[in-house]
């Protein structure tokens, strides 16, 4: 005799991750309420850029950007590789569509990135020193 099995819930739905999150003051590193959509995306982008890939156990191995191996390399090489690494890191977030207007300026020991990130909430201008 074979038991009869009844499955109650056979329908599944896939939902997009929300952008609601705690608002972090980037200077004081304090939490100051909540933010959503464009401001939350801006914060998520900066956080991703500032997190070294495959370093912290609290993050998935695919989260962040791989920069550590670029230290000590020529500035022209780093500038060329950075856009590719950013695009790879941003692929992990389905809310990010693409990078536009990518520009790199260099100083003695720093690289300044300026670019726009097109997201499902609009375009966000980013300026980050690495």
């Amino acid at each position: 005799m074979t038991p009869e099995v009844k499955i109650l819930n056979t329908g599944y739905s896939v939902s997009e991750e929300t952008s609601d999150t705690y608002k972090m003051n980037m200077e004081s590193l304090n939490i100051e309420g909540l933010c959503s959509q464009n401001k939350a995306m801006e914060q998520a982008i900066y956080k991703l850029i500032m997190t070294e890939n495959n370093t912290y156990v609290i993050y998935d191995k695919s989260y962040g950007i791989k920069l550590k191996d670029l230290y000590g390399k020529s500035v022209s090489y780093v500038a060329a590789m950075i856009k590719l690494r950013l695009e790879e890191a941003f692929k992990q977030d389905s809310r990010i569509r693409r990078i536009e207007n990518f520009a790199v300026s260099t100083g003695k020991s720093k690289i300044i990135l300026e670019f726009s990130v097109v997201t499902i909430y609009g375009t966000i201008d980013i300026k980050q020193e690495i």
Side-chain angles (χ1 to χ4, degrees):
M1 179 171 193
T2 305
E4 191 175 315
V5 178
K6 293 184 180 182
I7 299 175
L8 298 175
N9 185 4
T10 59
Y12 297 97
S13 64
V14 177
S15 61
E16 192 72 29
E17 196 173 320
T18 69
S19 288
D20 297 338
T21 190
Y22 293 101
K23 182 179 180 186
M24 185 172 75
N25 182 319
M26 300 300 272
E27 293 168 8
S28 67
L29 299 179
N30 291 324
I31 302 299
E32 299 174 345
L34 296 172
C35 62
S36 64
Q37 295 187 354
N38 220 24
K39 285 293 182 189
M41 281 305 306
E42 181 178 359
Q43 182 173 293
I45 291 165
Y46 276 109
K47 188 176 166 210
L48 190 137
I49 293 170
M50 295 186 299
T51 303
E52 180 67 25
N53 176 264
N54 201 14
T55 300
Y56 304 100
V57 295
I58 63 168
Y59 297 115
D60 183 84
K61 290 185 179 189
S62 61
Y63 183 81
I65 183 169
K66 187 175 181 181
L67 296 175
K68 198 183 299 184
D69 65 323
L70 297 177
Y71 288 101
K73 306 281 190 212
S74 73
V75 174
S76 59
Y77 176 76
V78 172
M81 292 301 295
I82 248 1
K83 184 177 182 194
L84 296 173
R85 302 256 175 115
L86 280 171
E87 289 171 340
E88 188 66 30
F90 289 156
K91 283 182 186 177
Q92 304 304 316
D93 193 328
S94 62
R95 300 168 296 176
I96 297 174
R97 300 292 183 236
R98 65 186 171 279
I99 298 174
E100 295 179 340
N101 307 321
F102 187 81
V104 177
S105 54
T106 59
K108 249 183 171 181
S109 61
K110 64 183 174 183
I111 295 176
I112 299 170
L113 307 174
E114 292 184 69
F115 55 95
S116 299
V117 180
V118 179
T119 73
I120 62 173
Y121 302 112
T123 302
I124 300 169
D125 294 323
I126 301 292
K127 183 174 183 177
Q128 179 70 29
E129 179 183 316
I130 58 169

